Amino acid sequence: MVSKDLKPVSSTAKKITTHVLKAMKQHGEKISMLTAYDYSMAKILDKAGIDVILVGDSASNVMAGHETTLPITLDQMIYHAASVIRAIENCFVVVDLPFGTYQGNSKIALESSIRIMKEAGGHAIKMEGGREIKESVDRILSAGIPVMGHLGLTPQSIYKFGTYSVRAKETEEAQKLLEDARMLEDSGCFGIVLEKVPAALAKSVAESVEIPVIGIGAGPDVDGQVLVLHDMLGLNIDFSPRFLRRYNNLFEQILGSVEEYISDIKKRDFPSKEESYK
Ligand code: KIV
């Protein structure tokens, strides 16, 4: 637990780094993480004091309207990440390696990661999977690029699993996940996202590794939480899993504003004399 008398680690650090994130875990300070894909939203998140922005490949869903995360390209991820990087001052920015840019070929994985660091200015990359991507993880880390793992529900493998249901409910899969988390830590990853797994398993993963474990649908006993911005703001109303807490209903609010704007034009109320030039 964080002592009430002590300042949070995140508030004494000028900028959030992988070292600050690890110190936050050691001091029991929870890590806040949200996705962002563009300049304007990233500016708000950074000003609010978010610790980590994830430029997630969920951009494929919420920005581009695809059904899965598979279609988004490396060029598109770099475009989103560069927009986010231009907006931020303090937070740490992790960028997803999209599907097809790292699986099965560690040389390509390194090249993809270097492009994210050089062309977008990302601070770290995230990739889905455990032992099956170890060679790529090692190669990227050996180039000095921080890597975040992603275990549990891994949306890039949706066609392998067939559903977005809770993962690792059975002992064998839970054991494999625990071993993968330890392997990612031993390789040198600075953190792990754990998606949609039973809360008790997430707790034991967080207790088994020293690096921060950030949960999404993984219960409260992990080192931090991440949500997709469009989901938590109520912009994306088609998605309401049990783990999602909605902090706003922006879809309804924006709809109302746009309807008012249209109506003002139709009834010749906008623009007024004061909104016009002499
Ligand atoms: O792409 C993404 O938004 C993610 C989160 C669900 C963790 O990977």
Side-chain angles (χ1 to χ4, degrees):
M1 293 291 272
V2 195
S3 154
K4 277 188 191 141
D5 307 329
L6 286 177
K7 273 191 160 184
V9 179
S10 55
S11 74
T12 56
K14 263 193 171 161
K15 280 184 188 294
I16 305 293
T17 63
T18 55
H19 298 280
V20 174
L21 295 173
K22 194 161 185 191
M24 286 169 76
K25 171 160 184 159
Q26 282 160 355
H27 288 81
E29 182 187 343
K30 297 281 187 188
I31 296 166
S32 61
M33 178 164 161
L34 275 174
T35 65
Y37 321 96
D38 69 277
Y39 178 86
S40 304
M41 288 291 185
K43 212 170 175 69
I44 299 172
L45 267 52
D46 189 63
K47 188 171 167 50
I50 198 82
D51 297 312
V52 184
I53 287 181
L54 170 65
V55 184
D57 58 0
S58 49
S60 178
N61 309 107
V62 297
M63 299 298 287
H66 292 296
E67 210 172 298
T68 73
T69 57
L70 274 63
I72 200 160
T73 65
L74 184 57
D75 283 338
Q76 288 165 342
M77 288 302 294
I78 289 171
Y79 169 80
H80 286 299
S83 308
V84 165
I85 288 288
R86 282 192 286 274
I88 59 105
E89 282 177 20
N90 301 311
C91 68
F92 189 72
V93 178
V94 181
V95 184
D96 263 337
L97 277 186
F99 177 69
T101 65
Y102 63 96
Q103 292 96 340
N105 188 327
S106 64
K107 185 169 178 284
I108 292 179
L110 177 57
E111 283 166 6
S112 307
S113 308
I114 289 176
R115 283 198 62 201
I116 284 176
M117 304 303 277
K118 272 178 107 86
E119 296 175 39
H123 303 154
I125 60 100
K126 173 166 85 59
M127 49 210 288
E128 296 182 6
R131 60 202 70 179
E132 59 284 353
I133 58 157
K134 180 171 171 30
E135 194 186 313
S136 294
V137 170
D138 289 341
R139 195 148 176 183
I140 297 166
L141 282 164
S142 69
I145 299 172
V147 175
M148 182 166 222
H150 184 153
L151 298 172
L153 173 64
T154 46
Q156 292 179 9
S157 309
I158 182 59
Y159 290 114
K160 177 176 164 192
F161 295 110
T163 78
Y164 287 104
S165 56
V166 181
R167 295 290 193 269
K169 281 174 125 175
E170 307 303 328
T171 318
E172 201 181 319
E173 199 187 337
Q175 186 55 35
K176 178 181 178 291
L177 192 149
L178 207 50
E179 286 166 13
D180 281 345
R182 292 199 186 104
M183 182 281 289
L184 290 170
E185 173 172 49
D186 291 344
S187 295
C189 288
F190 72 88
I192 297 170
V193 163
L194 198 48
E195 182 164 355
K196 222 167 171 188
V197 298
L201 171 64
K203 182 173 189 279
S204 19
V205 174
E207 285 170 355
S208 307
V209 295
E210 284 177 20
I211 55 175
V213 174
I214 313 293
I216 172 164
D221 298 316
V222 284
D223 308 305
Q225 299 291 330
V226 58
L227 286 176
V228 170
L229 187 66
H230 290 57
D231 299 340
M232 63 82 81
L233 290 180
L235 254 177
N236 175 22
I237 50 171
D238 301 331
F239 184 65
S240 37
R242 177 192 176 107
F243 68 75
L244 176 63
R245 185 177 292 183
R246 283 229 171 91
Y247 288 84
N248 214 314
N249 63 346
L250 284 194
F251 186 96
E252 290 304 325
Q253 290 195 34
I254 295 173
L255 183 71
S257 302
V258 175
E259 284 172 349
E260 208 179 316
Y261 170 71
I262 295 168
S263 151
D264 285 353
I265 294 172
K266 302 287 178 194
K267 61 184 194 223
R268 295 176 161 70
D269 177 71
F270 176 79
S272 67
K273 220 171 151 194
E274 292 70 36
E275 286 156 337
S276 307
Y277 295 102
K278 282 196 178 131

